[in-house]
Amino acid sequence: MEHQSRDSLATQSNIYFCEQPRVTETDRLGLPKWKKEAIRRLQTIDERRNMRLLAMIAMWIFSGVAVAIADSPIVSVLGCFTMGVAIMGISVFMHEASHHLMFKNHPLNWMVGFLCGAPALISVSAYRSVHMLHHAHERTEKDPDDIEAPAKTIPLVLFYYLFLIVGTYLYIPHVAVNGFRLANSVRRKSILVEYLGIGALLALVLAAIPVELVLKFWLVPLVVASQLTNFRGIAEHGLTTGGNPFTATRSVLSNKCVSFMMCNLNYHLEHHLFPGVPWYNLPGVQALLQEEYRKAGSSVYHSYSEFYLDFFRLTWKRKIVPNARMIPSHVLNEVCA
């Protein structure tokens, strides 16, 4: 192994399933000029790609219609799941709008971001207040979304299992409270307006539509979306190592169907490395950085089933410690001595 500082070596050695990792420091600033230029081109916004949002809305509507007209438990279950996937996908567009990546026009990003956040009961302005700090201070004490922060009060393995069950239900009020707390005076006004707007929309829906239909076509699918988000959240940030952007988060490449449902947010390492790249160009970033991933020992899984098999195997049999990352077998073959 190349000569490195003691702190760097200590951080890099915290890799589950690997005793002596063979990795080197990797820095975005040190990328070859041609890769930087290629990534700069990938930051171009193509507003036509927003049609995916219309597909998600159509998926929600058509699934609801299928559930309404079909007297079948199977259709009801599948329709509920599909509606939940649609709500999750729509909320991803709220995330894109918070980064100003949907449109070149910032007010239009805000407007669409508000509408996309409303089904998930999240203010896009509150989310932006928290999320931008998450990007700026990833896996540090200043990160308001550091997934391992609760390890100071409860066993980390217990927290991870609780997160799988209730993570999103705690995250929604976390965004509201801390988004307002961390915002400046101008953004606080936007946050108040947005939550008032969400409340007004909810009141209008409840006044116009029977409660049982609201439960069937929104609240229950929202629970599905929340559970999917919990599983996605742990895969993105759980069991990762801070101090290096190439190891502080994870990508799960999966298949085209999953990437479609998640609007490529499963390419989460790429998103954190270059948050100015819109969702449809993240696979291009992933293809460019294979050499850097190998050098850094980045955690990139090929599927969610592969990730969760390792996750449950690790959490069931071994003690979980903060700031240590879990890597898949194909990475172990490259970085382990």
Side-chain angles (χ1 to χ4, degrees), residues 92-142:
V92 172
F93 279 98
M94 181 272 295
H95 166 269
E96 289 292 298
S98 75
H99 281 278
H100 300 152
L101 294 177
M102 286 192 69
F103 305 97
K104 298 174 184 177
N105 181 284
H106 284 195
L108 189 55
N109 274 294
W110 174 81
M111 184 183 305
V112 175
F114 163 73
L115 294 174
C116 290
L121 303 176
I122 294 178
S123 153
V124 66
S125 294
Y127 180 80
R128 179 172 169 80
S129 293
V130 173
H131 194 64
M132 292 303 104
L133 288 175
H134 169 58
H135 273 272
H137 305 289
E138 184 183 19
R139 294 307 313 275
T140 70
E141 291 184 356
K142 294 182 180 180

Side-chain angles (χ1 to χ4, degrees), residues 81 84 88 161-169 220-234 262 308:
F81 177 79
M88 181 182 67
Y161 279 96
L162 287 174
F163 189 97
L164 283 173
I165 301 171
V166 300
T168 299
Y169 312 113
V220 175
L222 180 59
V223 171
V224 173
S226 298
Q227 295 307 130
L228 292 173
T229 301
N230 292 346
F231 275 82
R232 192 195 77 204
I234 285 185
M262 295 188 176
Y308 272 103

Side-chain angles (χ1 to χ4, degrees), residues 26-289:
T26 308
D27 187 355
R28 285 170 292 187
L29 298 178
L31 292 177
K33 183 178 179 180
W34 70 270
K35 288 190 178 184
K36 291 180 180 179
E37 292 175 350
I39 290 171
R40 192 175 298 113
R41 289 192 295 271
L42 290 173
Q43 292 176 333
T44 302
I45 294 176
D46 182 357
E47 296 181 354
R48 295 171 298 179
R49 299 297 192 104
N50 295 327
M51 295 297 290
R52 176 73 64 88
L53 173 59
L54 298 181
M56 291 293 174
I57 296 172
M59 184 189 302
W60 191 0
I61 294 173
F62 291 148
S63 298
V65 171
V67 170
I69 64 177
D71 185 17
S72 167
I74 296 177
V75 173
S76 295
V77 171
L78 291 177
C80 182
F81 177 79
T82 307
M83 285 188 283
V85 168
I87 292 173
M88 181 182 67
I90 291 169
S91 70
V92 172
F93 279 98
M94 181 272 295
H95 166 269
E96 289 292 298
S98 75
H99 281 278
H100 300 152
L101 294 177
M102 286 192 69
F103 305 97
K104 298 174 184 177
N105 181 284
H106 284 195
L108 189 55
N109 274 294
W110 174 81
M111 184 183 305
V112 175
F114 163 73
L115 294 174
C116 290
L121 303 176
I122 294 178
S123 153
V124 66
S125 294
Y127 180 80
R128 179 172 169 80
S129 293
V130 173
H131 194 64
M132 292 303 104
L133 288 175
H134 169 58
H135 273 272
H137 305 289
E138 184 183 19
R139 294 307 313 275
T140 70
E141 291 184 356
K142 294 182 180 180
D143 181 357
D145 285 346
D146 182 14
I147 195 168
E148 293 191 346
K152 298 176 182 178
T153 56
I154 63 174
L156 188 53
V157 64
L158 175 60
F159 168 76
Y160 274 129
Y161 279 96
L162 287 174
F163 189 97
L164 283 173
I165 301 171
V166 300
T168 299
Y169 312 113
L170 298 177
Y171 188 71
I172 291 173
H174 160 74
V175 169
V177 173
N178 289 298
F180 185 84
R181 180 179 63 85
L182 296 168
N184 58 32
S185 58
V186 175
R187 185 168 291 165
R188 284 182 176 182
K189 292 179 182 178
S190 295
I191 292 171
L192 289 174
V193 169
E194 288 169 31
Y195 277 116
L196 287 173
I198 292 172
L201 286 173
L202 183 57
L204 182 63
V205 167
L206 290 173
I209 302 174
V211 174
E212 59 269 23
L213 294 182
V214 175
L215 291 172
K216 193 172 186 179
F217 300 122
W218 171 64
L219 191 58
V220 175
L222 180 59
V223 171
V224 173
S226 298
Q227 295 307 130
L228 292 173
T229 301
N230 292 346
F231 275 82
R232 192 195 77 204
I234 285 185
E236 290 169 355
H237 293 289
L239 302 174
T240 57
T241 304
N244 186 330
F246 282 86
T247 65
T249 188
R250 175 185 294 105
S251 285
V252 182
L253 306 184
S254 198
N255 54 60
K256 291 184 178 180
C257 180
V258 171
S259 293
F260 176 87
M261 292 189 298
M262 295 188 176
C263 298
N264 286 346
L265 203 60
N266 51 308
Y267 289 86
H268 212 66
L269 174 56
E270 292 74 22
H271 169 64
H272 269 263
L273 287 170
F274 298 99
V277 175
W279 63 271
Y280 37 85
N281 286 335
L282 292 175
V285 176
Q286 199 272 338
L288 282 170
L289 299 180

